[in-house]
């Protein structure tokens, strides 16, 4: 087997990542591998580097040292444009805090990745409505994102992350703003939907109950991935 084909088995591969912000060493040699179709929970104290690692995996932040491979491609070797295309077409994000466009309706927010990918407006709107219904927001599609509750916004953010059938889903505390019942429901949707499509998931969470839904658990401390074991 050649080097090129062997890496294709991993959805994500990070080796020895270092990243310093000013005087803060956010990553100090973090390594992580996620197989295709695997759901990994990433836990660790606040400030341990979880979000920073996620941004590096996505090629949004560039580490000072170390290598990231996303779906087999070394992210650093791709141009800005190719990196953006890869993210857009094959990665889904739920950022910490949701981050919808407040002026757009929930429907328009969820349709956004499809429209950026060139899907026709009516088709994008249809798939967005379908996705919203699956997170129990069928009635709320016409409301502006800036006017809905935190929980509704977070559910819409999950819908937006999945609407284009990504191979990799990166979720930074996707249930942080939700109560237990809503949180479980959104998580179930996220994982069922990802699993049925064979997508890989990295799920950052502070909640052990959430982590128990994963195939594997990794713990971060002080910028390194410490433990890496079956959940
Ligand atoms: N843009 C930035 N500029 C300066 N320091 C940063 C920046 N982003 C992160 N840091 C610092 O890097 C460290 C890791 O931050 P990160 O956001 O990755 O932690 P985290 O594990 O996601 O924490 P939390 O659980 O609170 O979200 C922290 O000390 C943080 O203050
Ligand atoms: Mg974080």
């Amino acid at each position: 087997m050649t080097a090129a084909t062997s890496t294709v088995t991993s959805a994500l591969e990070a080796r020895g990542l270092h990243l310093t912000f000013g005087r803060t060493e956010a990553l100090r040699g973090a390594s992580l591998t996620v197989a295709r179709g695997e759901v990994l929970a990433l836990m660790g104290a606040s400030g341990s580097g979880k979000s920073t690692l996620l941004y590096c995996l996505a090629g949004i932040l560039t580490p000072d040292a170390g290598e990231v491979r996303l779906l087999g491609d070394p992210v650093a070797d791709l141009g800005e444009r190719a990196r953006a295309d890869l993210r857009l077409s094959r990665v889904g994000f739920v950022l910490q805090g949701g981050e919808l466009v407040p002026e757009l309706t929930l429907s328009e927010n969820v349709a956004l990745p499809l429209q950026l990918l060139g899907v026709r407006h009516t088709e994008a709107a249809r798939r967005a409505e379908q996705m919203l219904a699956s997170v129990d927001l069928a009635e709320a599609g016409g409301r502006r994102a800036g006017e809905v509750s935190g929980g509704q916004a977070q559910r819409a953010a999950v819908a937006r992350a999945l609407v284009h059938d990504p191979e990799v889903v990166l979720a930074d505390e996707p249930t942080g703003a939700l109560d237990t019942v809503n949180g479980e429901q959104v998580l179930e949707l996220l994982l069922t939907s990802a699993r049925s499509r064979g997508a890989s998931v990295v799920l950052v969470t502070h909640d052990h109950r959430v982590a128990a839904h994963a195939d594997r658990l990794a713990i971060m401390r002080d910028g390194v991935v410490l433990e890496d074991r079956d959940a």
Side-chain angles (χ1 to χ4, degrees):
M1 194 154 62
T2 67
T5 53
S6 70
T7 56
V8 168
T9 53
S10 298
L12 288 164
E13 226 180 310
R15 279 178 202 281
L17 303 189
H18 286 262
L19 182 55
T20 302
F21 296 109
R23 299 171 69 180
T24 306
E25 284 183 83
L27 298 180
R28 310 180 192 207
S31 298
L32 190 69
T33 303
V34 183
R36 298 248 177 189
E38 185 175 39
V39 175
L40 177 90
L42 185 61
M43 300 189 79
S46 181
S48 58
K50 305 180 297 296
S51 294
T52 306
L53 177 59
L54 219 61
Y55 289 136
C56 286
L57 292 176
I60 292 171
L61 285 176
T62 305
D64 300 328
E67 190 191 49
V68 175
R69 280 174 181 265
L70 176 57
L71 295 162
D73 290 321
V75 171
D77 293 356
L78 301 171
E80 198 58 52
R81 176 74 216 202
R83 216 179 302 177
D85 284 348
L86 179 66
R87 271 200 302 269
L88 183 60
S89 58
R90 300 174 75 184
V91 179
F93 282 105
V94 189
L95 297 179
Q96 207 168 359
E99 272 97 12
L100 299 172
V101 183
E103 294 81 10
L104 298 182
T105 65
L106 293 187
S107 227
E108 289 164 343
N109 267 285
V110 174
L112 210 53
L114 297 175
Q115 300 217 272
L116 292 172
L117 285 168
V119 175
R120 288 231 315 271
H121 179 79
T122 45
E123 172 65 8
R126 190 187 65 78
R127 281 166 64 182
E129 291 299 334
Q130 229 172 32
M131 207 62 223
L132 279 170
S134 71
V135 288
D136 239 3
L137 287 172
E139 310 298 318
R143 298 185 58 194
R144 287 189 201 289
E147 293 165 2
V148 301
S149 73
Q152 289 172 322
Q154 208 151 11
R155 278 186 278 153
V158 168
R160 186 181 57 184
L162 297 174
V163 74
H164 59 303
D165 254 339
E167 286 153 89
V168 171
V169 178
L170 302 172
D172 201 346
E173 300 201 54
T175 60
L178 304 179
D179 60 48
T180 312
V181 173
N182 269 309
E184 291 271 335
Q185 188 199 353
V186 166
L187 188 76
E188 206 174 303
L189 168 88
L190 178 68
L191 295 187
T192 312
S193 177
R195 283 201 162 108
S196 72
R197 294 163 159 100
S200 310
V201 180
V202 179
L203 181 64
V204 174
T205 181
H206 282 112
D207 188 338
H208 281 280
R209 275 175 321 207
V210 170
H213 291 275
D215 301 318
R216 195 153 60 89
L217 173 65
I219 312 271
M220 281 198 87
R221 189 191 291 165
D222 296 336
V224 293
V225 181
L226 279 186
E227 291 175 51
D228 193 335
R229 59 165 191 244
D230 290 342

